[in-house]
Amino acid sequence: NIPFAFRIEGELDLSALQRSLCALIERHESLRATFQVCDGVPMVVGQSPAMPLSIIDLRQSSQPSLTYIDQLLSEEARSPFNLTTGPLFRAKLFQLAGQEYILTLTVHHIVFDGWSEGILLQDLSAFYDASCTGKNPDLSDLSVQYADFASWQRQWLQGDVLDTLQTYWKGQLADALHDLSLPLDRPRKPGWQACQSACRSFVLSQELTTALKSLSRSERSTLFTTLLAAFHTVLYHYSGQENQFVCTPTANRNRNELNSIVGYFVNLLVLRSDLSGNPTFQELLGRLKHVVAGANAYQDLPIQQLTPCLGETQVSLSRVLFALQNTPQQSLRLSNLTVTRLDSDNGTADFDIFLSLTEDAGMIKGVFKY
């Protein structure tokens, strides 16, 4: 589940919000998709665009405490979806007072990725403003939908194209994959996957952020690669392993018409670092520049097809994830309303450790999720 939550203050037009949500899922086919298995074959089935807004009136109770609100957000973020029946996108509005609300939007990751967040918030803002004013939303028509991309990808990933991608990744990863020996608090059980998660946030100062950018320029490196090298250095400190494998997400939206569509486009790349020979940081950075450049050049092989091409049936590609978020940042802006983003987390972890970094106001902000 990918959850979002917003505190809304002001005279909210409930009918306009309902119409806006319906218009949103009318615009994006992915938001009304369901997944069924017919004769052993997975099928995507579309639903009607109608989506009721659930409204929960809390005005009769005493002013809800922050603890109670956090509990509401946590429960909503964790509430499961039914992939077969859908819908896979839901909205709930908690009315706390006459002009005070909390809006939660929750969507299943199978139809949504990080880039889609900016699209969803931008389009919902445009639909609400248009609905309140009676004007047409300032949005261009979509020329394609996610199903068009999926069809094109299946036709393209064949023959020489597929062979070239598989050959590269075999050369990078075959007979080498292994987990990092991170200091766990208890032995890992075979087949067991952690679910419950916790987070730790931190901020790098403007001075340090500026110094990192200066180092990147002097070494002809991207900020992403410099931060990745620092992360690998930390991992080496705790694991002592010279060969490390870390996953990183790539947007996988290589055509302009895909940049305005909600869907699961994201692909994971497995980056292999080499810390043999006690390299200096600059030497490690130089090695990683080649790794990152190669991975980006051959990024089109879906990670779901990577394991079979390596000849492995049950292999953990990596239990560590690193991301420098550079997706379009959008806020939910509703006419004549004050909207504040609230922290919302599903409380689960897909990786042993996930370092997520963003740049904001000249500082790098990070979250370790584990």
Side-chain angles (χ1 to χ4, degrees), residues 259-286:
N259 291 336
S260 300
I261 304 172
V262 168
Y264 187 94
F265 292 87
V266 67
N267 191 24
L268 287 181
L269 306 179
V270 183
L271 305 178
R272 179 181 181 179
S273 69
D274 175 14
L275 288 92
S276 61
N278 191 27
T280 64
F281 186 81
Q282 282 80 0
E283 289 171 338
L284 173 61
L285 188 54

Side-chain angles (χ1 to χ4, degrees), residues 180 182 231 235 245-247 318-322 351-353:
L180 276 170
L182 297 173
F231 186 44
L235 293 174
F245 299 87
V246 170
C247 284
S318 177
R319 298 184 187 274
V320 180
L321 186 67
F322 172 88
F351 293 81
D352 283 351
I353 191 164

Side-chain angles (χ1 to χ4, degrees), residues 7-14 95 97-101 128 334-339:
R7 181 183 293 274
I8 300 174
E9 296 173 283
E11 194 170 340
L12 177 64
D13 188 329
L14 298 180
Q95 185 166 9
Q99 295 190 355
E100 185 177 2
Y101 307 82
Y128 182 83
L334 305 179
S335 296
N336 303 315
L337 296 169
T338 301
V339 182

